[in-house]
Amino acid sequence: MKIIIIGAGEVGYHIAKSLYQNNDIIVIDEDEDACLRIDELDVQVIRGNGANAAILGKILPNTDLLVAVTGLDEVNIVSCMASKLIMQSASNFKTMARVSNPDYIDSPVAKRTQLGIDVMVCPELSLASEVADILSIPEAIDTELFADGKVMMMEFVVKKDNEIVGKKVHQLDLPGGCIVSALFRESDLIIPRGDDVVRAGDHMVIMGRSKSMVEIPALFGEIGRKQSRIMIIGGGVVGFYLAKLLEHTRLKIKLIEREKERSEFIAEELPSILVLRGDGTDLNLLREEGIGDMDVVISVTDSDEKNLLCALLAKQLGAKKVIVRADHYDYVPLFEMVGVDRAASPREATVNEVLKLTMGTGIEALTTLEGEKVEIIEYTASSNSKIVGEPLKNVQFPRGAIVSMVVKGDETHVPRGDYVIHAGDHVLIFSLPSALHDVEKLFK
């Protein structure tokens, strides 16, 4: 595919890095340093304004996808609108815009075809929704739903005092229809077999039918334990939207915001939330507000360094779980290495939506785990898919990918070698990034 990326910042760079090996990539940005950084990849770099119709007119012919991910919403929107007008005769041409202002979007991902934007993504809203989902299951550090909610994925950390430490995978008492899809052990990814032994500190990914997965958290924590006391540090887009999502739950929420006008706005908009004006790194304030008694502390300011400091302070003072925002994606594994329970990057949602657009028809969902170490992809098999009609053991499946679950109508299956996939089935693939291109070929 020929893909144009407007914006060579953190998001644009990682999109280009994910796609350049199998696609023809052109990147446009006005910043010289950003252009020099992205020029290290095998892509064409143009220094200029991505909303300039004259520049777009020269490079758009034969383009399949334009992705606008600068830090300015208006530039991204105008770039997509101008490109659609220039390419109006190309019916297969797609555009995607990243926006941060909730005035333009009221959900993490939306369509704005009337504006010339096929997909509009708000990374901040996506991150807030992700954190809200994690809070719904106290023991989990990540959760996702697939196949219209029929399949759930949960990721847990195995603590040293857990009774499953030392057990083999086949000895785990999992409910029917559930499977251990992966073990992340330090920097290694293990696709487990029955005789693999669970170790303390492992990150375990379990997938299964949603009705059965409700029993899984009991393996990783106190049965029935509830998270009731939440502190959010930072009242920006992420903090505000997260508080809004949690406002009508039974959680007791405190939100700390430094800016006077912003804190007053949040207090007025969300009257059931206790809003405190102050700095999240103020030790006296944190102690006074009982941060050590918090079940979860979530730091989502616009500074990665401040988020890390707030998280470490919260842990030191006794908070049970800390979750932080990390805009620089390379920080995610580093933050978790020094004691953060979950570091999440808002750019994940943007990159995943771009990958979905580049992977053709049939793809329903795509989720990244453990800092791009692995992807979970949901496909709807078609009659033309090479994976259809043959037992899985006969399919030339790429190394580094495995079929974890299949949803056939209302039934959920953990497939074995003799399982046959049919057209219309929802197929959940667990794949290394290096195998994605070959996985895609099986569903074309």
Side-chain angles (χ1 to χ4, degrees), residues 49-125:
N49 183 353
N52 186 322
I55 294 176
L56 292 172
K58 293 178 182 178
I59 62 174
L60 273 170
N62 301 316
T63 297
D64 300 288
L65 173 65
L66 180 134
V67 180
V69 289
T70 74
L72 297 172
D73 292 356
E74 289 74 16
V75 170
N76 296 337
I77 291 170
V78 170
S79 297
C80 291
M81 293 174 68
S83 299
K84 276 288 186 176
L85 287 171
I86 294 169
M87 294 284 286
Q88 56 187 319
S89 60
S91 59
N92 294 325
F93 174 68
K94 302 292 184 184
T95 62
M96 195 195 89
R98 166 199 177 191
V99 298
S100 295
N101 189 338
D103 290 343
Y104 296 132
I105 187 172
D106 56 3
S107 60
V109 181
K111 293 182 178 181
R112 294 288 185 270
T113 51
Q114 69 273 24
L115 296 177
I117 303 171
D118 294 290
V119 179
M120 184 179 279
V121 180
C122 182
E124 291 79 5
L125 300 191

Side-chain angles (χ1 to χ4, degrees), residues 125-136:
L125 300 191
S126 295
L127 177 58
S129 296
E130 179 184 348
V131 174
D133 289 341
I134 293 171
L135 293 178
S136 67

Side-chain angles (χ1 to χ4, degrees), residues 390-395 402-403 414-421:
E390 288 279 343
L392 285 176
K393 62 186 177 184
N394 296 341
V395 177
I402 187 171
V403 178
V414 178
R416 305 299 179 190
D418 57 354
Y419 190 90
V420 178
I421 293 171

